[in-house]
Amino acid sequence: MTLLQEKWRAYRTPGYYTKYDYAWRLVVDLDSCTGCGACVVACQAENNLPIVGERAFQEKRDMKWLRIERYWEGEYPDIKMRFLPMMCQHCDQAPCETVCPVAATYHNQDGLNVQVYNRCVGTRSCAAYCPYEVRYFNWFSASWEAPLEQQLNPEVSIREKGVMEKCTFCVQRIRQAKDEAKDEGRRVQEDDFTTACAQSCPSKALHFGDANDPQSAVSQLAKNPRAYHVLSELNTEPSVTYLARGKAMESAS
């Protein structure tokens, strides 16, 4: 077996990283989430997501890296609406990575599930294998009517049709924070940056940080008895932790 074949086989195995330089994690407190959608709008603006128009929206070809799942609990008249923000879970053992025939998606040294647009050939296999349905196919090349093109983020590439895309945990912000920290000879601190969704959340339901730092908010919140992972029985080891609604909130609602 050649060295290339050995490396390819190694990187086809889920969980091939045993230690990360940083372990970026997101914690969602469902007690605080009001389903306002500010995170969805912030994500769209930060990452140059296209506005597809009415016709494409009706054909369910709108593009959102972060969506708010809405569902009802109970029976009328005792019913309650629930919200659950859903984005790429950046699984440590991601099934989408092992199925890509051209290795366009892989895990990097910071525990991020990365998508390489120039390598993607649009087989959509990753979307079929993603249990969270958070990968999206570009049916069209995007365009923005004036003056909307002036608000595009120059740090994020414009994706062409025929490729898959998804939440990146705002990797452009991570890269900038790491570069600045490196110039100053230190590690990235918790207050250096956050993701667009966490920054825009008015109720502070989203928390982003480095789980390698035991004093970080995400490390502390992960110990909360309310913490759980969506579809944990699949053993994908997501990087997104949810805090279930507490009993105090249940009695107040």
Side-chain angles (χ1 to χ4, degrees), residues 4 14-15 34 55 86 103 105 108 123 132 138 171 191 207 209 235:
L4 179 61
T34 62
R55 179 177 178 181
M86 179 57 66
T105 183
N108 74 0
T123 64
Y132 304 98
N138 258 309
V171 67
D191 296 334
H207 305 267
N235 297 321

Side-chain angles (χ1 to χ4, degrees), residues 97-231:
E97 295 175 0
T98 56
V99 74
C100 181
V102 292
T105 183
Y106 67 98
H107 239 57
N108 74 0
Q109 73 281 5
D110 288 344
L112 299 178
N113 178 248
V114 181
Q115 180 74 20
V116 184
Y117 302 122
N118 290 342
R119 193 182 297 166
C120 179
V121 295
T123 64
R124 289 181 279 171
S125 302
C126 54
Y129 274 68
C130 175
Y132 304 98
E133 299 184 355
V134 290
R135 287 180 157 271
Y136 304 94
F137 183 70
N138 258 309
W139 293 95
F140 306 101
S141 292
S143 61
W144 286 262
E145 297 180 358
L148 295 178
E149 83 284 358
Q150 298 180 27
Q151 61 91 44
L152 292 175
N153 187 350
E155 301 296 329
V156 179
S157 60
I158 304 295
R159 287 77 64 188
E160 300 291 333
K161 69 177 180 180
V163 301
M164 301 297 300
E165 58 181 78
K166 65 171 193 65
C167 163
T168 65
F169 272 178
C170 289
V171 67
Q172 66 279 2
R173 295 190 179 197
I174 295 174
R175 186 168 56 245
Q176 181 178 357
K178 290 180 67 175
D179 287 346
E180 292 176 355
K182 182 180 179 182
D183 292 342
E184 298 172 5
R186 60 176 177 83
R187 287 180 62 83
V188 177
Q189 303 299 312
E190 188 172 20
D191 296 334
D192 285 351
F193 81 104
T194 188
T195 57
C197 56
Q199 183 181 12
S200 64
C201 181
S203 58
K204 307 300 180 187
L206 302 174
H207 305 267
F208 184 79
D210 178 19
N212 279 348
D213 177 4
Q215 302 305 318
S216 66
V218 292
S219 295
Q220 297 299 317
L221 290 171
K223 301 175 184 177
N224 192 304
R226 295 190 290 124
Y228 74 99
H229 293 133
V230 174
L231 300 179

